[in-house]
Amino acid sequence: MTEPVVEIRDLYFARGERMIFDGIDLNIEPGGVTAIMGPSGTGKTTLLKLIGGQLRPQSGSIRVFGEEVTKLSRQGLFELRKKMGMLFQSGALLTDINVFENVAYPMREHTRLPEELIRDLVLMKLQAVGLRGASGLMPSELSGGMARRTALARAIALDPMMVMYDEPFTGQDPISKGVLVKLIRELNDALGLTSIVVSHDVSETAAIADYVYLLSQGKVIEHGKPESLWVSKSEWARQFLDGSPDGPVSFHYPAADFRDDLMRGGLAK
Amino acid sequence: MLDMLQKLGKATLGFFERLGRGHLFLLQIFATIPGVLIRPRLILTQLYSVGVLTLPIILVSGLFVGMVMGLQGYNTLVDFGAEDSLGVMVALSLVRELGPVVAALLFAGRAGSALTAEIGLMKATEQLSGMEMMAVDPVQRVVAPRFLASFITLPLLAAIFSSIGIYGGYIVGVELLGVDDGAFWAQMQDKVDLRGDVYNGIIKSVVFGFVAGWIALYEGYDAVPTAAGVSRATTRTVVHTSLVVLGLDFVLTALMFGD
């Protein structure tokens, strides 16, 4: 059996008083698309930042490509990150250079390739995401979907072994969503990547994922192949997958008793 | 009362924490400078946006400050029949004080605020995070070139400010009010000392360039990544730089000319 690309054991992470991860275990197997799903605010993006070493957990182990991220030096982290690509929710494109230069940026930073070769490589990456024609545009001239595809081309610029997608479908129209779904799956298979997709879009994500983790309130609630989740008995998983407004995740933010709250106000006096 | 003490304690701790983080940030910048020096292009583009683009405001302000000094100085000196010393007065005030200080204040308003807003927005739009994930150190690629550019350009801008100011004083004093041309320049040449006045002025502007760049970049890098956070950071850059420059000016003046 092959070793997982990412292996998380007993991870605890808190921001101030608020516990984000309360002892989670998680494996990302090589070659597949693993989805991490859960409602907003469960710390899905935080998990990606922990895997990338941008945040340090309070305790627990995160091994990526066999290296313990929590113990790596800054230099060690930079070396490790050359093997990963990350697609940020906002795209995170550098706004003062155009699409071509954004995709060329990691190549120029980390390689000494001749200019002609960089040009060909960038055009190949842009062709893969369908934006070769947009190479001269500035990030401010791109639609949300195009910005994300450009960011995807940049994420795969150095042919990483793993790509992390942070909410790739959020705020996208159906066509862009369809394009991204297709790209994530096809790039994963064509380039032999390992992909981690963090999302709360159930149908899109389930369509391309090989394995799914459902997170809520700092715990892994359910995990397995997408088809096994649909028959899950967990009330919480049911609520999330069916999109019910009320259930284990309450419709109301925790608050004092409604009646008491009203009685305290000016009208009741 | 206890509540107030607690707030005071919290504010003091917060102040020192920020001060400490600011110094660590500075060390981080120093550590990355060798990596920047081998990429001079990064510095060149910043020299343009930090230095060249600040030039118009420096030129215009310098000219007007010099002209006002020419006018005010003449009115005072003429009562004592000492209007020939106008050149010395204008040159000394500019080279020792006004050049470095006013140039630094204008720099904070034009370039410092722009640096803070730019870095703050890069942070808010995850561009800095994105660079980190591409294994590119944002302190080296984004912060350090801007720091070096501030450090290099402010002394030059201050020198230009002083020169154009002296010319402004000349226009008003000599061309308009009739001070003797030869006396204006000869007395200036005689009384302004290269080591005592010009060098000290340059030292001041080097220190101000260092501090102005440091504050602007730290405020941007440490900004809360929201619209309100970036706006607060930009305001803080201008206010803090102005206060620190004026305070440091007093300290440096006392050290240089105190005896």
Side-chain angles (χ1 to χ4, degrees), chain B residues 56-235:
Chain B
I57 190 177
I58 291 284
L59 288 174
V60 175
S61 315
L63 187 68
F64 279 111
V65 167
M67 283 163 65
V68 167
M69 282 178 50
L71 201 56
Q72 294 277 18
Y74 179 83
N75 284 337
T76 314
L77 293 171
V78 81
D79 291 343
F80 305 99
E83 66 270 25
D84 287 350
S85 304
L86 185 65
V88 186
M89 195 212 89
V90 172
L92 279 186
S93 332
L94 279 168
V95 169
R96 280 186 178 188
E97 287 297 333
L98 291 175
V101 173
V102 179
L105 296 180
L106 293 171
F107 183 87
R110 214 307 303 184
S113 57
L115 286 176
T116 306
E118 186 187 13
I119 307 255
L121 274 175
M122 284 183 88
K123 185 177 176 185
T125 51
E126 293 185 308
Q127 292 183 52
L128 299 181
S129 267
M131 288 178 120
E132 279 195 2
M133 284 308 294
M134 285 189 279
V136 173
D137 183 359
V139 175
Q140 187 183 58
R141 296 305 196 284
V142 178
V143 176
R146 285 165 174 77
F147 176 75
L148 285 174
S150 310
F151 183 63
I152 296 168
T153 49
L154 188 49
L156 295 173
L157 291 171
I160 292 170
F161 186 93
S162 297
S163 318
I164 197 99
I166 291 171
Y167 183 64
Y170 172 82
I171 295 176
V172 171
V174 179
E175 304 278 343
L176 298 178
L177 298 172
V179 173
D180 183 61
D181 194 3
F184 184 89
W185 293 115
Q187 287 212 17
M188 192 191 300
Q189 203 177 5
D190 189 39
K191 291 277 164 34
V192 179
D193 181 39
L194 181 67
R195 189 181 296 263
D197 301 319
V198 179
Y199 284 178
N200 279 338
I202 294 175
I203 293 174
K204 275 186 183 178
S205 58
V206 167
V207 173
F208 296 160
F210 183 94
V211 173
W214 177 21
I215 294 179
L217 293 165
Y218 175 64
E219 289 294 352
Y221 205 74
D222 198 51
V224 179
T226 59
V230 174
S231 122
R232 267 201 307 275
T234 313
T235 310

Side-chain angles (χ1 to χ4, degrees), chain A residues 189-201:
Chain A
D189 298 345
L191 303 176
L193 296 169
T194 301
S195 306
I196 307 176
V197 182
V198 149
S199 178
H200 50 229
D201 290 276

